[in-house]
Amino acid sequence: MEEPQAVAGADVSLHNFSARLLEQLVHFHVMRLTDSLFLWVGATPHLRNLAVAMCSRYPGRPVNRCLSATTSPTQTVTSRY
């Protein structure tokens, strides 16, 4: 496992590691911020797509957006609450 990295002047720590789940190698990127946590899990060690989902004022209808370029213009984010 990789040691946490500190970013100068900020309360941020980064953790990058990989683990084998069943037969699949899975990569993790964890970023602890001051009041939040960012977790990315993927089959390759490169962050290619980034999406965010948040609760909205309409029950059962979260707001979601893709924040980075994707290879498919029809790709959507699915989230369940």
Side-chain angles (χ1 to χ4, degrees):
M1 185 187 262
E2 184 176 303
E3 290 297 318
Q5 300 172 355
V7 176
D11 189 15
V12 175
S13 64
L14 303 173
H15 304 272
N16 292 302
F17 58 95
S18 300
R20 188 162 297 280
L21 299 175
L22 300 176
E23 300 280 326
Q24 178 70 40
L25 182 63
V26 180
H27 304 276
F28 299 87
H29 174 79
V30 181
M31 187 170 21
R32 185 182 56 82
L33 306 167
T34 303
D35 293 324
S36 61
L37 179 76
F38 170 80
L39 171 65
W40 175 85
V41 180
T44 63
H46 307 291
L47 177 66
R48 295 183 183 195
N49 294 324
L50 180 61
V52 65
M54 298 179 286
C55 295
S56 72
R57 61 181 171 179
Y58 305 106
R61 302 213 35 188
V63 175
N64 53 56
R65 291 287 180 257
C66 184
L67 301 177
S68 65
T70 65
T71 57
S72 170
T74 59
Q75 184 174 0
T76 58
V77 176
T78 304
S79 55
R80 303 254 186 237
Y81 288 95

